[in-house]
Amino acid sequence: MYRFYYFDVSLELEQDTTEISAVYFKNHVMHLLNILFGEDGASTAVDVLKYDELSRRAILRCPSASYVKLRSSLTLCEKFNNIRCVYRIRNSSPCLLSLLNTSRGYNHY
């Protein structure tokens, strides 16, 4: 069994004018875990390995045991500071290298 799980996610806002720092991004993810799973969710270790402020896209890492909690918290998110939003989970994997490429967009010749 793998120790960690990795997510490639992006935050899309209805009003695209807000810039969000990595600290606010992680704080919102932890807030979502707390809302859905209470103190147990808030104690989940989530790391932001990489974050791009312009696209609001991040690579997140969590323990494998918390994979379902984090994924469901991101999926059920509706608002970021009273602005409608959605988290797009572009890819997830227990291997960080596999986030680099996906077979979905690969052209087979």
Side-chain angles (χ1 to χ4, degrees):
M1 186 168 172
Y2 294 98
R3 190 170 167 203
F4 294 107
Y5 233 89
Y6 301 90
F7 292 87
D8 179 4
V9 300
S10 61
L11 175 61
E12 297 177 10
L13 301 172
E14 189 174 58
Q15 300 169 358
D16 223 14
T17 58
T18 308
E19 285 192 23
I20 300 167
S21 70
V23 174
Y24 284 119
F25 187 89
K26 181 177 178 179
N27 187 31
H28 189 249
V29 170
M30 298 307 294
H31 177 70
L32 295 173
L33 285 163
N34 188 22
I35 288 172
L36 196 58
F37 296 102
E39 291 300 316
D40 186 44
S43 67
T44 301
V46 177
D47 299 313
V48 178
L49 301 181
K50 184 178 178 182
Y51 180 70
D52 180 28
E53 286 189 24
L54 294 176
S55 63
R56 292 186 293 273
R57 191 167 177 175
I59 303 293
L60 303 177
R61 177 179 70 183
C62 74
S64 291
S66 301
Y67 169 79
V68 174
K69 287 180 185 176
L70 180 57
R71 187 166 187 124
S72 59
S73 295
L74 294 173
T75 302
L76 295 173
C77 176
E78 294 179 333
K79 294 192 178 193
F80 182 89
N81 290 342
N82 293 325
I83 299 172
R84 290 176 48 93
C85 72
V86 64
Y87 277 94
R88 300 266 183 226
I89 301 174
R90 299 178 180 276
N91 202 354
S92 62
S93 174
C95 180
L96 183 59
L97 281 175
S98 68
L99 294 183
L100 290 175
N101 200 359
T102 178
S103 62
R104 292 181 188 138
Y106 184 74
N107 292 326
H108 299 278
Y109 295 103

